[in-house]
Each structure stands twice: as C-alpha cells, then as structure tokens.
Amino acid sequence: MLPIHIEGTPEFESTLSALRIRGTGDLANVTPAVTEIINNVRRAGTSAVLGYIEAFERRTPKALVRHAGPEAEGGFGGAEALERLAPEIRAALETAAARIARYHERQRDAGDLGAADVAPGGPALQAGFSYEEDGVLLGMRVRPLRRVGVYAPGGKARYPSSVLMSAIPARIAGVREIVLASPSPDDVTLAAAHLSGVTTLLDSGGAHAIAAMAYGLPELAPVDKIVGPGNAYVACAKRLVFGDVSIDGITGPSEILAIADDAADPRLVAADMLSQAEHGEDSYALLVTTSARLAEAVARELDAALPELTRRGIVESSLSTHAAALVVGSRARLAEVADQLAVEHVAFHVNDAEALLAEIGTLGAALLGRLTPVAAGDYFAGPSHVLPTGGSARFGSPLGIYDFVTRASVIRYSDAALRAQGPAIEKLALAEGLQAHARAVTLRLSSLALAPAAKRDPSRS
C-alpha cells in the first residue's frame, strides 16, 4: 500500500513535485456554502446557529453559550467534569496541562513579554522595550489580546488535547476571555477547558461556530482572534472571516514525514506514520530514507498493523491516497527533501538526529530519536501541537504566546530632537506632496522658536 519511489526516476520527481503543494484542499468547493452560513449567522445570530446545529449535528443544545462557574449556577461544568474522570485520565490531563503551561511560560520569559527595559523618566511600557536616541524616546509596548476563540473539532474524533494546546498559551500570554467552540463536549473536553482557563463554552462546531465567534451573538461577544484546527468548512470559514478577526492560519490535513536511515526500526517508523494517518482520510504519511530495504520493511509493517487499528478504514484511505516513500542517495538529500516539503511533524529515525535537524530550515515540530513518538508531541511534551501544515512551515510557526499579543510603537520627541530632525521630516513630506504632514511639523517648530527654552514646561516637550 506504500508507494516507493527511487530518486532518479520520473515517478520520484513527479511525486516530490506534487507533495510540495499537498494538503491545500479545494476550498473553492465549499466556499459558496460557507459564505452563506457566515452571512446567515451575521444576519440572524443565535437562531441561525441553532438551525445549523440541528441540520448538521441532528441535536439541540441545552444551552448554546455557557460561562465558567459552578454547573449548578449555569456554568459549563468543567470542574465537575474533572472530578468525574477516571483517576488515571485526570492525572494524565493535569500533568499534560502543567507541562504545556511550563513550556509556554518559558516562551513568555524568553520573548518580548518579559520585563520591560524602561528608560529613566520614560512611560511604563508593561512589556516590550524602550530606549532613547538623540532625544527621541522609542519603544514597543506588548499587550495580550482581550478575547480569543479556540476551535476544537468534535466530528470523527474529539480533541481535548487541542483545547489544552490552544487555550493554555492564550492564558499564559494574559488573555482574560477565552471562548471554546466545540460541539457536544464530553467530560474530558470540559475538564480540559477547565484546566486551560476557558471562560466561555460555545456548544457548536462547523463554520457557524467560527462565524458566531467572529461576529458575536446576543449572548456572546465577538473575539479578536480564532485559533485551532478543523475540517475544510472550518478552514474556509476562518479564511473568510480573516480581516474582521485575526486567525492563526489555515490548517490543513495532519501530516508526518519520517526521516530514516538504514539503521532505523521499521516497526517504529511505521507506528509514527500510522499515528498521523488515523487523523483523517486526507492525512499525509510520508517517508524519506536512504535505504530501499528500509522502505520495503516499513511498507510491510504498515500492512501488518492495519488489522489491529480501530480506525482502520480511515487509515487505509489515507495510506492509499496520500502516503509515499522517497528513497534518496545520501544523508544530505534527506535534509534537502525535508526542507522542500516543510512538513508539520518530522520524526527523525536517524543517527545523530540533532546534526541532521541543523541542516533543515523548515518544519513544524522535530521529534528526535527512536524513543520520541509523535504522540508525545501531540499530547504531553509541552509545545503546542497546533502546527503549520501543507508546506506553510516555510513561513509559519507552532502556536505560541506570540500569537496572542499585539504590539504598539511608542514615540516621544523632545524639543531638541524636533529642532534637529524637523526640517528633514518636512522635506520628506513635501517630496511626497503631503503638505499637511509638513505643516504639522512646521507649526511645532514655529512654537519652539517663539517659546524661551528656560520657560518651557519639560513635561510637554
């Protein structure tokens, strides 16, 4: 079932070329339907959302929107759900939440959300930086978004892990209001929401949930940004609402590239590939290796494991349409092919994985060594598993606290600075034909010329 392509053959080149533009999906096919859904939700609000839930999910939620708090008082019941979980599931969920929080706290401490370097006498920039140059105070202020929407799918499978991986970075960044959209959430999802700091639950999925978060309902204020994975309808809806709200990106099908040399364990390589293939029929399970023998062994292991899998039909569909093994002639080519594909998950089944990673510039998450399963990154390790897909690792990054802040420039001129720089500013404005710009500088320079320096109030300079 795993097609094997040897470098130097026409099949190899055509397969590699096709894989570079993989997973984009034909959103054009669903755009008319999604556009209609968004417009209806904007026009009719709650009644439209409830109508789509009944039509698509065959149910009527007891409460469409619920806010955090005790279940008895109308909350979404996250704390109660956590208490109901089996002890081993609760412990695993709590440990995962703590690990994810610690990782993203380090992002905060290492990045531009750390302590500000405030110049003497300057304004208190809560985070970011500031400095003074030639009498001009310059800085960047960083503040968290006010309200964020998190989407967690609930169709073919439930993903409480996506709640943890999306909401916890938002909470660590300082976002005060976190809305979770997830249809018919079970106890594990509700418990994950509670542990993540979710403040509001929208009991809905699909494009209508995206529209509700983007434009608001009478009982739900609109959010500033929407993050999280979803199907083609969700991805299309995120694309269409972008501009009215921010989004983390257009997430496509899950994907993995296993990089293996001839010393790799084919059973473990196959296991990692299967772990991503089971996400959906459109998932990509890819292998690049220096060994044709290893590729053949992995193909056998994939076939042998299928009867054991509960989602066998999904996996078979994924492998039959989107799986491929690429056999290359050198270790250097392993890195080159990986760089061209820019895959979401890259599992390194090679000797000296760190050295090979250093040669690859574009990937979403690197799983280094035979003892690091992709599932560890999906659930437990710490970094968010919301990753760039479809080659967007060329310009995208894993979801992190930097996705949940805005940055503002801060500028303050002293009188000496304006005297020194004002004439050049005037000349540039007039060169662009913007007389009013130049006039705004000229008036200030004139006022400085008329006011004796000793009598000027320095606080107004």
Side-chain angles (χ1 to χ4, degrees), residues 423-433:
I425 298 171
E426 288 176 311
K427 287 183 173 60
L428 286 174
L430 292 173
E432 291 189 349

Side-chain angles (χ1 to χ4, degrees), residues 91-408:
L93 205 62
E94 290 175 331
T95 303
R99 293 183 62 85
I100 296 164
R102 285 197 297 272
Y103 178 87
H104 290 90
E105 285 165 357
R106 286 178 176 266
Q107 275 189 345
R108 179 194 62 201
D109 297 341
D112 57 13
L113 290 181
D117 178 18
V118 180
L125 307 184
Q126 289 192 351
F129 65 85
S130 68
Y131 65 98
E132 191 167 320
E133 179 180 275
D134 300 329
V136 182
L137 177 74
L138 300 170
M140 182 179 73
R141 189 188 72 179
V142 183
R143 295 284 174 86
L145 301 177
R146 294 172 301 171
R147 189 178 298 109
V148 165
V150 170
Y151 187 86
K156 295 177 180 177
R158 298 199 175 278
Y159 296 100
S161 57
S162 289
V163 179
L164 299 176
M165 297 289 186
S166 300
I168 289 177
R171 187 193 78 208
I172 298 299
V175 177
R176 293 185 178 273
E177 296 182 46
I178 303 173
V179 180
L180 169 64
S182 190
S184 298
D186 59 8
D187 276 354
V188 183
T189 301
L190 292 174
H194 172 70
L195 292 172
S196 302
V198 167
T199 58
T200 301
L201 174 69
L202 173 63
D203 185 0
S204 176
H208 41 293
I210 301 298
M213 290 193 290
Y215 301 111
L217 302 171
E219 61 270 61
L220 179 70
V223 302
D224 301 313
K225 185 167 188 172
I226 299 174
V227 304
N231 63 18
Y233 286 85
V234 169
C236 183
K238 288 172 68 178
R239 175 176 285 180
L240 291 175
V241 302
F242 177 63
D244 293 323
V245 297
S246 180
I247 61 172
D248 55 341
I250 306 299
T251 306
S254 183
E255 55 187 37
I256 180 173
L257 175 67
I259 304 179
D261 56 23
D262 57 4
D265 183 336
R267 190 177 185 187
L268 295 181
V269 175
D272 280 345
M273 295 172 69
L274 290 168
S275 71
Q276 297 307 301
E278 75 173 344
H279 274 295
E281 293 89 346
D282 53 358
S283 298
Y284 284 79
L286 308 174
L287 167 66
V288 59
T289 178
T290 51
S291 170
R293 179 195 61 80
L294 186 280
E296 292 165 358
V298 170
R300 291 192 295 270
E301 292 292 345
L302 291 172
D303 292 340
L306 282 174
E308 305 172 11
L309 302 179
T310 56
R311 293 165 68 84
R312 177 176 179 172
I314 290 174
V315 174
E316 285 184 325
S317 180
S318 169
L319 295 180
S320 64
T321 55
H322 297 305
L326 304 172
V327 180
V328 298
S330 69
R331 182 179 169 97
R333 284 291 290 153
L334 292 176
E336 290 172 3
V337 169
D339 225 14
Q340 291 178 47
L341 295 179
V343 178
E344 177 187 22
H345 303 94
V346 179
F348 288 74
H349 293 263
V350 295
N351 292 319
D352 199 358
E354 287 81 0
L356 186 60
L357 172 61
E359 300 300 317
I360 300 172
T362 52
L363 48 74
L367 294 306
L368 301 176
R370 63 187 299 275
L371 297 181
T372 309
V374 178
D378 280 346
Y379 293 109
F380 215 74
S384 177
H385 73 200
V386 181
L387 301 167
T389 64
S392 60
R394 292 180 293 107
F395 51 81
S397 304
L399 191 71
I401 63 165
Y402 37 75
D403 288 295
F404 299 106
V405 298
T406 59
R407 298 169 180 84

Side-chain angles (χ1 to χ4, degrees), residues 414-416 419 444 447-461:
S414 66
D415 56 358
R419 289 175 187 272
R444 286 172 168 82
S447 68
L448 289 175
L450 294 174
K455 295 182 179 181
R456 286 198 299 272
D457 181 356
S459 69
R460 299 178 61 86
S461 62

Side-chain angles (χ1 to χ4, degrees), residues 10-155:
E11 292 78 13
F12 179 96
E13 296 302 330
S14 62
T15 300
L16 182 58
S17 178
L19 288 174
R20 291 192 190 103
I21 55 171
R22 70 198 176 276
T24 54
D26 189 3
L27 295 185
N29 289 337
V30 301
T31 295
V34 173
T35 300
E36 181 180 359
I37 290 170
I38 291 173
N39 290 338
N40 285 341
V41 171
R42 294 188 72 174
R43 182 178 64 252
T46 302
S47 63
V49 176
L50 291 172
Y52 286 123
I53 293 174
E54 183 175 354
F56 298 146
E57 303 174 30
R58 306 299 185 196
R59 66 182 183 92
T60 301
K62 292 181 180 179
L64 179 61
V65 178
R66 290 177 284 169
H67 302 283
E71 193 170 29
E73 299 177 11
F76 63 73
E80 294 85 351
L82 186 64
E83 292 289 338
R84 289 192 295 267
L85 294 181
E88 62 274 15
I89 298 297
R90 174 175 178 168
L93 205 62
E94 290 175 331
T95 303
R99 293 183 62 85
I100 296 164
R102 285 197 297 272
Y103 178 87
H104 290 90
E105 285 165 357
R106 286 178 176 266
Q107 275 189 345
R108 179 194 62 201
D109 297 341
D112 57 13
L113 290 181
D117 178 18
V118 180
L125 307 184
Q126 289 192 351
F129 65 85
S130 68
Y131 65 98
E132 191 167 320
E133 179 180 275
D134 300 329
V136 182
L137 177 74
L138 300 170
M140 182 179 73
R141 189 188 72 179
V142 183
R143 295 284 174 86
L145 301 177
R146 294 172 301 171
R147 189 178 298 109
V148 165
V150 170
Y151 187 86

